[in-house]
Amino acid sequence: MSADLPPVPLAQPEIGEREETLVLEVLRSGQLSLGEVGVRFERELAAWLGVADAVSTSSGTTALHLGVRQLGWGPGDEVLTSPFSFVASANCLLYEGARPVFCDVDPVTLNLDPAAAAAAAGERTKGILPVHIFGFPAAMPELEALAAKHGLGILEDACEALGALDSEGRLVGTRGNFATFAYYANKQMTTGEGGTIVPTDAESAARLRSERNQGRAVDMGWLDHDRLGYNYRLSDVAAAIGIAQVEKLDSLLERRAAVAALYEEALAGVEGVATPIAGRGQERRSWFVYTVRLADGVDRDATIARLAERGVASKAYLPCIHLFPHLRELGYREGQFPVAEAAAAHSLALPFFPAMREDQVARVCQELAAALGQGAGTR
Ligand SMILES: Cc1ncc(COP(=O)(O)O)c(C=O)c1O
């Protein structure tokens, strides 16, 4: 019986001997933070991306917050962004008193629709915060044109999209905008907790490094502070894991793509399940989650429960963020963003990680089909 088989988790980080070795070196060095390993991680990630610099932070959320501060968005300012996102992409604006102005998403990419963003741009608009949701690149050339027209800043939330290619074939996060990545354990690569912000120049890099470190410039003493700062540092223990993960990042991304291809094939015969696109033109998704869309009328909660009974994890992923209580307080309501709300109502994340085997994918798909009333589950 499938229920007797080991459960299939939603996500699973890949931590091996290399991570253990590098972490142990840090532990034995006695330099657990602000050491050479942290600097090395930044350099290696920047080299992988092909950018001049990368500033590590304690999380994707803190990277976003520093980005908002860099752009000077604050009280009275409005920033155009997506309601179909993880809540941190709106919260980072609220931290500084700026207002997220949600605009509906494109039905295929589920990313901020440039036409909706253009329609929402007004006098108070100061910026655009596109989210590359589920690893699919946002429409950056179009959004950059909109930003140029109105003189807006751009902060890219690429926390789910390390390794994605945009419509011009460029790696997400390398277009010269501030861009953030995140390394929670379900991401393309992990440091446990952690993040990066890609600076726009040497000056912004220096300010980012100061603000993440309590407002200390590099040449300052521990108790000297020349601006408001935070403790948003990434420890060297986490950075050591990051170095090992960057070393195998190409392989992690390739294997995620291979698992997605297995799903695409296995789900072809399952009715009522639409699969996510891998790419379009030069756009390439960096596979973060594998999220399908269930047909209208399918009871998603019952499907999740039935899968759970059979040892298969799944999740309604993700809810629209404009409907959370603290964003409703700004006046947002159901029905304002029909494309995003329909995506949120029908999307289901299936187990997805680079080491996922073909038989596990087959089992998930068979159980999903059975849960939808098509055929028997696995034995
Ligand atoms: C789109 C998006 N933005 C921001 C974040 C925040 O990253 P973190 O959890 O590292 O703070 C995440 C991570 O879950 C994310 O998916």
Side-chain angles (χ1 to χ4, degrees), residues 57-64 84-90 92 95 129-134 157-161 180-187 192-196 288 317-318:
T57 55
S58 52
S59 71
T61 306
T62 55
L64 283 166
F84 191 67
S85 178
F86 180 67
V87 70
S89 61
C92 65
Y95 297 158
L129 198 162
V131 183
H132 306 277
I133 202 70
F134 299 164
D157 181 341
C159 289
E160 300 190 356
T180 63
F181 296 103
Y183 311 125
Y184 185 66
N186 63 345
K187 293 291 195 298
E193 298 284 359
T196 291
F288 161 52
Y317 191 81
L318 30 67

Side-chain angles (χ1 to χ4, degrees), residues 2 14 38 41-42 51-52 102 138 157 203 211 220 239 259 289 313 345 376:
S2 167
E14 215 164 277
F41 172 51
E42 290 187 334
V51 292
F102 296 114
D157 181 341
E203 197 186 326
E211 287 198 2
M220 283 181 134
V259 173
V289 281

Side-chain angles (χ1 to χ4, degrees), residues 354-366:
M356 203 169 168
R357 300 184 314 267
E358 193 165 355
D359 63 292
Q360 289 176 304
V361 173
R363 177 177 155 205
V364 171
C365 297
Q366 224 172 317

